[in-house]
Amino acid sequence: MKMQINGKAVESYSGEFFDIINPATGELIDQVPKGTEYDVEIAVEAASSAFNCWASTSPQQRARILYTAAGVVRQRKDELAILLTREQGKPFAESKNEIEGFANVLEYYCGLVSSFHGDFIPVPQNGYSFTIKKPLGVCAAIIPWNMPALIMAWKISPALIAGNTLVLKPASNTPLTNLTLASILSEAGLPPGVINIVTGPGEVVGESLVKNPQVKKISFTGEARTGKRVAELAAGGMKRVTLELGGSDPMIVCDDANLETAVSGALRGRFYNCGQTCTAVKRLFVFESVAEEFIKKLEASIRNLRVGNGLHENIDMGPLNNCRQREYIKELVADVEEKDEGRIVAGGRVPEGSAYSRGYFFEPTLVVDVQRESRLLKEEVFGPVLPVVQVKNLEEAIEEANNTCYGLGASIWTKNIDRVRTGCEQLNAGIIWINQHLKVAPEVPFGGAGESGIGKENGPDALSEYLDLKALMLKI
Ligand code: NAD
């Protein structure tokens, strides 16, 4: 596949390509151009030239185009989901959810089209004051590989509906779905240059985008370490940034929780997308009094998970997305074993058999009695390993849960309203779930505290991240 600049499919000036590999089979699926700084310049120029016209297109017309694109995405859902599974690895059903999520987010922002106007503000001494909201100009969207379609929608929908133009940089190893979705938007009527996609390495394409003086805002999703680099570079140009970074979400299971529901919640919360979700359950704290029963049920359910190629039938969990990620997970598990910092009661290995020999598979893994100093509790475990820690009560659980630099999501499982209130008030997280984990919706603001980032995506508030608010004061 080629990059997309100014409405055309183009190759990179480097003349080089890199391989996109199916993580379940190790097969080459496609090649994409290895973009350069020069490609970024051309793409930003295209977005800049398209800006005035797009910004002065009526918001209703912008919405009509995005709405048409959402309809085509729904019609082509299966084909897009197959592509997503082939490049990313997740089971087909999860890919379908993600593609539907893309269309939902697009449609949600179309529905907000009449909502982002300024205000009239009366001021003392017969003064009149107004505010107006204007698009910012060229925005950059930098996307990770774990949920490429959904995160693309989170960024492009508010940006485009607000009248901005975009240059999007997909993750190096999952650009295909992003490119196909962008071509659907173009076919639906998005004028050339309004959305441009440059593929290639983060250090080159990502950094040149962030540094480009014509780029007014950067919306980045990825690791905290990369986010800090992006923030540092953006500060040089005093640019607006939204940073959606990593997380180490705690799940707290109280002694009055419905344990069956909590087990399914932990299963989905941890092993959805092979554990590669920013808000996955990355640390589980269970009250001592119910720990034995809960762990027994959890272990049995984990052993029942069917691992395999996401395009095959009845698969619960696919492979990790890439070799580096699987090596990291293997290293974390080996570290626990070596230092005797926890007991592996399920999984812990690369599955055996020819079906797994060429992909990046790892067994769904349960580690109990995890020691506080273990890397499993200190780092963002972005893979299918669930560390469980026993706690005496809610106070101890919250203290442990907050013992992290992250603050993305957290969940509390209880029927007791006082515990719900305490958890909501004291857990340090941007989103707190009660008796569920992982659910997101286009209507609900999403974003973390601490090293999980700055700013929000989703919901009406995300629109203001893409609009400049000007105040006008009149004396008559
Ligand atoms: P990553 O930081 O390695 O890469 C993210 C994107 O940044 C990629 O497109 C990459 O090419 C680009 N990039 C890399 N170096 C760059 C640089 N120096 N300058 C500019 N861009 C650069 O992250 P990843 O491994 O692709 O994604 C996994 C991470 O994303 C996890 O930490 C996960 O928790 C996080 N994540 C967060 C959210 C959220 O909304 N908070 C959602 C999904 C994923």
Side-chain angles (χ1 to χ4, degrees):
M1 249 187 210
K2 296 185 177 168
M3 307 192 293
Q4 280 195 33
I5 300 182
N6 212 8
K8 294 190 194 86
V10 294
E11 290 181 3
S12 163
Y13 277 82
S14 70
E16 292 177 45
F17 291 86
F18 60 84
D19 296 345
I20 307 301
I21 303 292
N22 182 332
T25 61
E27 282 162 0
L28 177 73
I29 317 170
D30 206 338
Q31 290 189 313
V32 291
K34 193 168 179 184
T36 61
E37 282 177 30
Y38 188 54
D39 296 306
V40 170
E41 255 176 58
I42 310 258
V44 172
E45 200 50 57
S48 185
S49 306
F51 174 67
N52 281 343
C53 181
W54 182 244
S56 55
T57 302
S58 78
Q60 286 71 18
Q61 175 59 11
R62 289 182 219 144
R64 272 193 287 275
I65 296 171
L66 299 194
Y67 206 80
T68 306
V72 176
V73 168
R74 286 191 195 287
Q75 278 162 17
R76 292 176 56 183
K77 183 169 65 184
D78 283 7
E79 166 209 332
L80 286 160
I82 290 171
L83 182 63
L84 181 55
T85 293
R86 289 183 73 218
E87 68 173 340
Q88 203 279 342
K90 61 186 71 184
F92 178 63
E94 292 183 17
S95 288
K96 272 214 301 206
N97 273 345
E98 188 172 335
I99 299 296
E100 262 171 37
F102 178 94
N104 289 342
V105 175
L106 226 55
E107 286 165 357
Y108 169 73
Y109 281 99
C110 292
L112 293 190
V113 74
S114 310
S115 70
F116 51 95
H117 47 71
D119 280 325
F120 166 69
I121 311 164
V123 288
Q125 289 154 356
N126 298 332
Y128 292 94
S129 164
F130 302 90
T131 56
I132 53 171
K133 293 182 179 177
K134 306 289 278 178
L136 302 172
V138 179
C139 299
I142 304 181
I143 309 270
W145 47 260
N146 67 329
M147 301 240 170
L150 188 63
I151 291 168
M152 175 179 181
W154 288 2
K155 297 187 186 314
I156 68 163
S157 313
L160 293 178
I161 211 81
N164 301 282
T165 56
L166 276 161
V167 179
L168 184 143
K169 187 228 166 294
S172 307
N173 43 352
T174 55
L176 304 177
T177 313
N178 291 145
L179 283 163
T180 312
L181 288 166
S183 65
I184 291 176
L185 282 155
S186 299
E187 283 157 25
L190 207 63
V194 173
I195 188 165
N196 306 276
I197 301 208
V198 183
T199 50
E203 297 72 21
V204 179
V205 174
E207 293 209 5
S208 340
L209 247 182
V210 176
K211 286 191 280 193
N212 190 300
Q214 294 196 76
V215 171
K216 304 298 177 209
K217 189 224 152 72
I218 298 116
S219 179
F220 170 86
T221 299
E223 278 186 48
R225 198 182 30 187
T226 326
K228 286 179 190 173
R229 172 76 183 143
V230 166
E232 203 179 291
L233 293 173
M238 205 54 84
K239 297 177 185 199
R240 282 211 205 178
V241 286
T242 303
L243 300 172
E244 297 295 348
L245 310 178
S248 184
D249 285 18
M251 165 170 175
I252 298 174
V253 182
C254 300
D255 52 2
D256 63 329
N258 177 328
L259 293 189
E260 299 291 340
T261 322
V263 165
S264 345
L267 223 57
R268 183 177 149 79
R270 174 71 274 197
F271 300 106
Y272 193 83
N273 199 15
C274 197
Q276 305 162 118
T277 304
C278 50
T279 49
V281 174
K282 297 192 181 122
R283 296 169 298 144
L284 194 148
F285 301 99
V286 56
F287 281 28
E288 281 169 359
S289 49
V290 291
E292 194 182 333
E293 187 188 348
F294 176 75
I295 289 169
K296 220 162 125 191
K297 288 179 195 288
L298 186 58
E299 181 190 339
S301 307
I302 289 176
R303 287 185 188 281
N304 280 337
L305 289 176
R306 294 155 301 187
V307 179
N309 184 331
L311 288 180
H312 295 170
E313 295 224 326
N314 303 321
I315 292 299
D316 299 308
M317 195 180 91
L320 285 140
N321 171 257
N322 57 70
C323 181
R324 188 181 67 131
Q325 204 58 31
R326 186 176 61 177
E327 288 311 305
Y328 174 64
I329 292 298
K330 276 161 75 176
E331 182 190 304
L332 283 181
V333 172
D335 193 68
V336 170
E337 282 179 314
E338 235 167 66
K339 297 185 182 152
D340 203 15
E341 286 179 344
R343 217 160 33 86
I344 298 168
V345 292
R349 301 275 173 269
V350 170
E352 288 174 1
S354 58
Y356 305 111
S357 61
R358 294 183 61 209
Y360 308 127
F361 293 97
F362 197 82
E363 290 174 346
T365 299
L366 179 62
V367 190
V368 300
D369 303 333
V370 178
Q371 303 297 304
R372 300 323 195 247
E373 57 278 15
S374 166
R375 286 177 65 190
L376 288 186
L377 301 181
K378 295 199 179 308
E379 297 177 22
E380 183 190 22
V381 181
F382 214 57
V385 179
L386 179 57
V388 176
V389 174
Q390 296 189 27
V391 288
K392 287 191 181 54
N393 50 36
L394 188 58
E395 196 186 353
E396 187 186 350
I398 291 176
E399 196 183 324
E400 297 275 359
N402 285 343
N403 186 17
T404 168
C405 60
Y406 295 111
L408 195 53
S411 64
I412 174 158
W413 298 69
T414 178
K415 297 183 197 106
N416 180 319
I417 192 73
D418 274 342
R419 285 174 168 172
V420 169
R421 187 183 48 80
T422 307
C424 292
E425 281 178 13
Q426 295 183 9
L427 282 165
N428 181 21
I431 180 160
I432 294 172
W433 292 281
I434 296 111
N435 297 322
Q436 60 172 337
H437 200 109
L438 218 60
K439 187 168 175 60
V440 289
E443 298 82 357
V444 181
F446 181 91
E451 294 206 6
S452 289
I454 299 172
K456 297 290 173 194
E457 294 195 301
N458 286 344
D461 294 324
L463 267 172
S464 54
E465 308 260 356
Y466 294 93
L467 287 163
D468 197 18
L469 183 65
K470 283 189 182 173
L472 315 176
M473 297 191 81
L474 273 74
K475 189 156 191 262
I476 299 171

